[in-house]
Amino acid sequence: MSNLDHGAEIVKSITTLAQENDIQMGVFSAIGALQNAELGYYDQDSHQYKIMQVNEPMELVSCTGNISLRGEKAFLHPHASLADFQGRLLGGHLQSGIIFAAEVYMQELKGHPLVRKFDLTTDLYLWSDAE
Ligand code: ZN
């Protein structure tokens, strides 16, 4: 469990937390508030992320994701639901966000670490069973 720093970038902060705790495979969850954010939507036709800028303070209703290896390093896959002052939700792949306040917990998973490899079908780095 950790309280993330006000003004820090959330994806980098959670990635650093995983790396500092030597977590190669795990899950995490965070709640709090962001000062701004960038959400990604993966276009399945063009195989490109469309980036949505959220330039207002938002509740971090839910941020959840996983940690696995991409190369030698712990790699974070974060998704988020954000709410505006009227409770309207936006969501997607969390590209980045500046923390107002955020509480995160992380749980290490045991077993053979999952490794991300490039997938030709989706153009994404997905978990690979092959060694
Ligand atoms: Zn994603």
Side-chain angles (χ1 to χ4, degrees), residues 17-19 21-26 67 74 106-109:
L17 193 64
Q19 290 172 347
N21 288 282
D22 202 27
I23 295 176
Q24 299 188 331
M25 183 167 63
I67 300 146
M106 192 172 283
Q107 190 165 21
E108 185 173 21
L109 297 176

Side-chain angles (χ1 to χ4, degrees), residues 49 77-79 93:
Y49 272 103
H77 187 188
H79 281 200
H93 181 99

Side-chain angles (χ1 to χ4, degrees), residues 17-85:
L17 193 64
Q19 290 172 347
E20 284 176 355
N21 288 282
D22 202 27
I23 295 176
Q24 299 188 331
M25 183 167 63
V27 291
F28 69 89
S29 177
I31 56 172
L34 298 178
Q35 300 177 45
N36 60 54
E38 281 185 348
L39 295 172
Y41 171 87
Y42 193 68
D43 187 307
Q44 296 175 18
D45 293 323
S46 69
H47 289 188
Q48 304 268 334
Y49 272 103
K50 295 190 168 170
I51 305 300
M52 184 187 343
Q53 306 283 339
V54 183
N55 291 317
E56 60 181 308
M58 301 292 274
E59 285 291 309
L60 182 57
V61 176
S62 175
C63 176
T64 185
N66 57 58
I67 300 146
S68 57
L69 291 175
R70 182 166 159 183
E72 300 293 306
K73 286 194 156 188
F75 177 82
L76 203 72
H77 187 188
H79 281 200
S81 299
L82 305 174
D84 70 9
F85 71 105

